[in-house]
Amino acid sequence: MTTERIRIALQKSGRLAEDSLKLLKDCGLHVARSKDQLFCRIKELPIDVLLVRDDDIPNFVDSGICELGIVGENVFAEMKTGTENFSATVVERLGFSQCRLTIAVPENGAVKSVADLAGTTIATSYPHLLQAFLISHKITAKTLVMMGSVEVAPRLKIADAICDIVASGATLTANNLRELTTILNSQALLVR
Ligand code: ATP
Ligand code: ZN
């Protein structure tokens, strides 16, 4: 008899990793995990765990490489918004890794309101979600795509605003930025 195995993609290390593994453990599923392992088996059921970068999880699930995944709503929604015929769907909101995707601007700068974003340059790693927000507010602005350290863009004078993930807000404060508006509230999702 052959047993079909289910593959689930989890973040290898980072802000989703620990709580994702804990969730499986709380379900009675123990992951035999050794350091630098990409692939682990679960003892109790025919489930294989794939440990990857969070950014790869939406694609892995959408393309059928994995049946399930746990990923932040921010990453999932960006991929969904930017991919034609994207078919992965949300099974459940999991409540951990809460954060928000926010537009922030320099304290005491020229941009005081959302309407003031017209004609500005906004740095972000979430171009599709940002664009959807701008379109829904009938605002035309330039997007500067950056893969990291987005919060330094205004200080470098390469952008007037940023659109980035915020949890406590400490990074914004440290960079003299203030939140203008939240465009997405995010938490970990179980997706299929
Ligand atoms: P990877 O190496 O897998 O690409 P990463 O550096 O892109 O990881 P992390 O910083 O580990 O990502 O964040 C993973 C996810 O956790 C984010 O996409 C977001 O959903 C959520 N997150 C981000 N910052 C926080 C935070 N301060 N507190 C809780 N959750 C957060
Ligand atoms: Zn990532």
Side-chain angles (χ1 to χ4, degrees):
M1 192 185 87
T2 58
T3 313
E4 211 175 314
R5 301 186 69 83
I6 288 176
R7 280 156 303 193
I8 180 166
L10 304 186
Q11 188 189 31
K12 187 179 167 80
S13 69
R15 289 173 160 132
L16 289 156
E18 202 177 310
D19 284 343
S20 300
L21 282 175
K22 185 178 179 297
L23 178 65
L24 295 192
K25 199 174 161 206
D26 290 348
C27 295
L29 304 176
H30 293 89
V31 181
R33 193 186 170 182
S34 65
K35 230 183 164 195
D36 294 328
Q37 209 172 339
L38 177 72
F39 205 59
C40 319
R41 292 201 157 202
I42 284 181
K43 277 197 312 210
E44 293 82 3
L45 286 172
I47 300 173
D48 294 325
V49 177
L50 202 61
L51 298 169
V52 295
R53 299 259 331 241
D54 68 340
D55 315 81
D56 288 330
I57 294 173
N59 262 332
F60 278 17
V61 174
D62 185 53
S63 62
I65 293 168
C66 294
E67 283 75 27
L68 294 168
I70 295 179
V71 65
E73 195 163 353
N74 50 312
V75 170
F76 186 75
E78 173 64 17
M79 196 66 69
K80 187 179 160 82
T81 308
T83 309
E84 261 181 70
N85 303 319
F86 187 83
S87 62
T89 56
V90 177
V91 180
E92 194 145 327
R93 304 189 132 68
L94 299 173
F96 57 84
S97 299
Q98 291 188 7
C99 57
R100 55 195 182 275
L101 185 61
T102 285
I103 296 179
V105 294
E107 296 266 15
N108 312 314
V111 180
K112 307 281 184 208
S113 69
V114 169
D116 292 340
L117 290 169
T120 64
T121 298
I122 308 172
T124 190
S125 310
Y126 299 85
H128 298 104
L129 290 175
L130 173 60
Q131 203 53 46
F133 172 85
L134 293 172
I135 288 169
S136 74
H137 285 75
K138 299 188 167 56
I139 291 169
T140 305
K142 205 174 148 199
T143 301
L144 172 67
V145 178
M146 291 175 68
M147 296 319 285
S149 304
V150 171
E151 67 280 356
V152 303
R155 228 185 325 138
L156 294 176
K157 307 247 184 279
I158 57 176
D160 307 291
I162 68 166
C163 172
D164 201 12
I165 287 298
V166 176
S168 70
T171 304
L172 293 185
T173 308
N175 286 280
N176 219 21
L177 299 170
R178 72 175 184 89
E179 289 183 56
L180 195 61
T181 188
T182 293
I183 74 171
L184 178 82
N185 283 302
S186 180
Q187 58 180 283
L189 303 176
L190 177 66
V191 298
R192 64 176 294 172

